[in-house]
Amino acid sequence: MRSAVLLGKGRYADEIRGFEAEDGPRTEFITVARRIDAKVFSFATARSERSALFGRLFGRKPVIGSVVNFVIQAGSIDRCYVTGEDIGIVAAILLRLRGWQGKLYCVFHAMTPKKAKILRLIGHKMFGVFIVVSEKQRRLLIEEGNVPPEKVLTVHNWVDDRFFHPRDLARATSPGAKVVMACGAENRDYPTLVRAMKTVDADLKLFAHGFYGTHQGTVDPSAQDRIRLMPRVSFSDLLKSYQDADVIAVPLNEVDYAAGVTGLVEAMACGKVVVVSATAGLDGYLDGIDPTLLVKPHQPTDLAQAVSKALAIAHDPARQDGSRNRDWVVKHCSLDNYVQKVANLMAAT
């Protein structure tokens, strides 16, 4: 079996060596590539392989460029792991035109009416499995995309639990201010968190950055002395911030996909007490968390009460909420377990 991993823009001419040299957690797609001995395709690899004209043609559409380069070489590939539906849908259309007989194993993050319509038109035969990280997205694929239930694999969002880990020694109670940390950019409701923190006896460290850019929201000037808007930092520094914080807050807008899940499972892997907006997209991730730490979106008073309670829990030696969070992540979200599951699927279907 000849295998590939398909990215969008990418970063390196040699994606495997480039990502493995980075100081940070292992990425799922590079770990999959290593496990199945796959060639990694991206726009970055295409630019290194093809003419300068190719780079100019697709410079503003790197996903299209990556897919076109893959389609050109797809005759030597039987199976391909795809990191997202925006790449996978384009690939399926072009590969169908090429008459490719292989299978795509595509992570599907968020269904929209437009994506559902396209998926119904192109069909599901090109796909071996659709991988989703929330039950809501599974239902949408089946009901709106006309995908057979047996072709949809629901998994918990993976995390490198070797990298994101608690401190080796128990954290001593800090004589300084208590710290609440929030991290991420996609569909975060930071204005509500800022309002909530006005009545909470703690400082807020806000890392409002993510894959799609920065979203710091509106910060009330009167609360600035208690809020630190943090710059982008290395993964090592991000890990230290997780470990130093007393509580991690994940304030979200109400969405039907798993926005916020990466920051949530990273915090839980670090053994932290978490306060979370209980959205439909996070169904299946919140069962083990104290219900009083789950709040409805856009409710600053409830969020303030939950954060205050979480701070008390974090400093109560009789409570083991953080340890239970860590145990849950290792059981359900381990990157190694996810990669093995993907490898088994690609070998069997």
Side-chain angles (χ1 to χ4, degrees), residues 159-167 239 264-273 320-334:
V159 65
D160 185 356
D161 52 296
R162 284 192 250 157
F163 181 86
F164 290 104
H165 64 278
R167 291 197 188 282
L239 172 63
L264 174 63
V265 296
E266 287 174 355
M268 293 171 71
C270 290
K272 289 298 169 178
V273 178
Q320 298 294 319
D321 296 55
S323 295
R324 287 196 297 272
N325 286 344
R326 166 72 183 180
D327 292 342
W328 188 91
V329 161
V330 171
K331 178 179 179 180
H332 296 284
C333 304
S334 166

Side-chain angles (χ1 to χ4, degrees), residues 1 32 46 146 162 172 201 203 224 229 244 251 255 259 268 292 302:
M1 181 184 297
V32 167
N146 290 347
R162 284 192 250 157
D201 182 22
D203 293 340
Q224 284 279 12
L229 299 179
D244 287 345
V255 290
M268 293 171 71
T292 62
D302 293 347

Side-chain angles (χ1 to χ4, degrees), residues 58-79:
F58 297 105
R60 294 186 178 181
K61 298 287 185 180
V63 168
I64 303 296
S66 175
V67 172
V68 167
N69 183 55
F70 173 71
V71 170
I72 291 170
Q73 302 180 59
S76 62
I77 302 297
D78 300 308
R79 301 286 188 269

Side-chain angles (χ1 to χ4, degrees), residues 173-249:
T173 301
S174 171
K178 297 174 182 177
V179 175
V180 175
M181 174 181 163
C183 178
E186 189 170 4
N187 260 304
R188 298 306 198 275
D189 180 19
Y190 289 137
T192 294
L193 177 60
V194 168
R195 290 196 295 273
M197 290 300 296
K198 286 184 177 181
T199 60
V200 176
D201 182 22
D203 293 340
L204 173 64
K205 292 175 68 175
L206 189 58
F207 293 84
H209 313 283
F211 183 79
Y212 294 106
T214 297
H215 173 66
Q216 293 179 334
T218 302
V219 177
D220 186 339
S222 67
Q224 284 279 12
D225 61 329
R226 302 298 304 274
I227 298 173
R228 293 178 61 191
L229 299 179
M230 307 300 292
R232 284 186 179 271
V233 296
S234 68
F235 276 110
S236 294
D237 287 340
L238 182 65
L239 172 63
K240 184 177 184 301
S241 291
Y242 274 129
Q243 293 174 333
D244 287 345
D246 295 280
V247 166
I248 311 300

Side-chain angles (χ1 to χ4, degrees), residues 140-154:
L140 288 173
L141 270 171
I142 295 168
E143 296 166 7
E144 304 295 333
N146 290 347
V147 176
E150 63 271 17
K151 275 197 168 185
V152 185
L153 172 68
T154 306

